[in-house]
Structure formats: C-alpha cells, structure tokens
C-alpha cells in the first residue's frame, strides 16, 4: 500500500501523471509489475516512476519488480515487503508536516498549541482492517485503520492516538490525529511513530510556549 519511487533510465517515453482515481496501471506506454500484479501509477518519467505497492501482496515476502516501457522489459529487481514501515511527511529541515484543525499548517510561526488536535501525514503504515483495493481512494465510512497499531512518541513520551488510518478519498496516504498534551513544554519537540518495532524518521513539532 505504500508509495515508492523507482529510479533508472528510459523508464518512460515522456512524463505523465494520472488525472483520475482509481489510478491507472499503464501510463504513456509504461507499467510496473510487482509480484505479477500491475501496480497503480502516480507519476512516470524517463528517470523516475512513483508507484503504489499493491495491497494485495503478502507483506512478509520478497517480490520481483519489473518495469515495462513501450514493450521493453527492464531487469527484474527484488524488493522485500514488511507489514508496516512508517514514514512521516516532513519539510526539508525536519519540521513535521501537520495541520491545525482549521487546515492551516503547523509552522514555527504558527506552532501547535497545548491541548489542540493536529493531523500529521504518513506513508508505509501497511494493510488496514477495512481492505482497500490498490489504486482506489480510501473509504470515508467505514474508515480504514492500520492492522499494526502505531505508537506516537512526542518529546520522549508516548501519547494517545485519536485516529490513525488511510486519509479518506486519497490513494496510499495515511494520517494520524493526535492531541498535543496540555502540560508539554513549549519549543521544538521530537516526534516519531513506530509500528511493530519499526521506527519512522525523526521529525520536529513546534509547540507554543506556555
């Protein structure tokens, strides 16, 4: 279910992106086959393809990934899947990409407030209790929650998760909703997410001084 980037040369004759959901599995003559399944495409270009690893694959196994471009077949590459390997969306400086409840971004000039709920975004949280077909938008009702329970750590302390799951209407994007603790110290606090022992990248959440 995660989104990966495949790099190489002559991967597509021209750049292209899908314009609708469900995502296409062939674009500008290019397709990607993982474990015998044609994978949904987010973006193709001569040097890079962004593709969704199919939910239908077994998360404990290795598979062959093959790119087909205008009838030419690339050398198969082996990829290893895992049940969940969370990756948090962040800015280049490591600041967490998150939103306040009004939809505006959490930034150093607009930090999270103690007690408020914020939404962060992730990839790689794995299969869900409400299975979603690869390439399809995630459901609104019932919501699709990850099979492997995530643990959020903020400032070195585990905090409750209000919601974790696929973002409704989008493909392959997950979100976690948390409430910033009332008693947390202000300033930049380290935030990570772990699932089944796999720990995400380290991010920074700016919090308003009390």
């Amino acid at each position: 279910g995660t989104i990966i980037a495949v790099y190489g040369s002559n991967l597509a004759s021209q750049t292209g992106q899908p314009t609708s959901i469900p995502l296409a599995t062939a674009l500008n003559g290019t397709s990607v086959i993982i474990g015998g399944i044609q994978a949904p495409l987010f973006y193709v270009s001569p040097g890079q393809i962004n593709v969704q690893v199919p939910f239908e694959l077994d998360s404990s196994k290795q598979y062959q990934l093959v790119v087909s471009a205008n009838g030419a077949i690339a050398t198969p590459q082996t990829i290893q899947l895992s049940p969940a390997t969370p990756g948090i969306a962040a800015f280049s400086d490591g600041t967490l990409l998150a939103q306040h409840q009004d939809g505006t971004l959490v930034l150093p000039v607009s930090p999270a407030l103690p007690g408020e709920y914020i939404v962060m975004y992730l990839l790689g949280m794995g299969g869900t209790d409400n299975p979603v077909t690869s390439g399809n938008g995630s459901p609104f009702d019932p919501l699709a929650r990850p099979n492997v329970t995530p643990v959020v750590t903020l400032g070195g302390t585990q905090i409750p998760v209000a919601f974790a799951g696929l973002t409704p209407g989008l493909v392959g994007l997950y979100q976690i909703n948390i409430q910033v603790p009332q008693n947390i110290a202000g300033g930049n606090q380290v935030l990570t997410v772990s699932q089944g022992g796999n720990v995400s990248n380290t991010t920074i959440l700016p919090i308003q001084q009390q």
Side-chain angles (χ1 to χ4, degrees):
T2 197
I3 304 166
I4 62 172
V6 179
Y7 297 98
S9 58
N10 302 315
L11 299 179
S13 58
Q14 57 183 332
T15 299
Q17 291 180 280
T19 57
S20 62
I21 296 174
L23 299 181
T25 55
L27 192 59
N28 293 347
T30 291
S31 60
V32 176
I33 300 91
I34 306 176
I37 299 174
Q38 284 198 310
L41 301 171
F42 288 88
Y43 170 82
V44 301
S45 72
Q48 178 179 340
I49 302 173
N50 296 348
V51 60
Q52 184 182 30
V53 177
F55 276 117
E56 294 79 8
L57 297 174
D58 186 329
S59 63
S60 66
K61 294 183 178 179
Q62 287 186 341
Y63 290 98
Q64 296 294 303
L65 182 152
V66 179
V67 176
S68 173
N70 294 307
I73 306 297
T75 302
Q77 303 293 318
T78 300
I79 61 171
Q80 174 67 52
L81 303 191
S82 67
T85 306
I88 305 174
F91 294 100
S92 59
D93 64 357
T95 300
L96 177 72
L97 177 57
Q99 291 177 304
H100 297 284
Q101 287 296 289
D102 63 2
T104 59
L105 290 174
V106 176
L107 299 169
V109 295
S110 178
L113 304 176
E116 82 161 315
Y117 285 89
I118 63 170
V119 181
M120 72 184 83
Y121 297 95
L122 306 90
L123 297 178
M125 295 184 73
T128 55
D129 57 359
N130 178 20
V132 179
T133 301
S134 300
N136 281 20
S138 303
F140 287 84
D141 185 22
L143 295 168
R145 294 173 168 83
N147 294 327
V148 182
T149 302
V151 174
V152 177
T153 302
L154 179 61
T157 300
Q158 181 178 336
I159 63 172
V161 172
F163 169 74
L166 286 163
T167 300
L170 300 181
V171 179
L173 182 67
Y174 300 80
Q175 68 182 66
I176 293 180
N177 301 7
I178 60 168
Q179 183 180 25
V180 179
Q182 289 279 3
N183 60 349
I184 194 166
N188 291 334
Q189 296 286 352
V190 173
L191 184 148
T192 60
V193 174
S194 62
Q195 286 180 280
N198 291 326
V199 182
S200 71
N201 51 312
T202 298
T203 63
I204 298 295
L205 176 63
I207 297 174
Q208 177 72 50
Q209 298 282 353
Q210 299 192 57

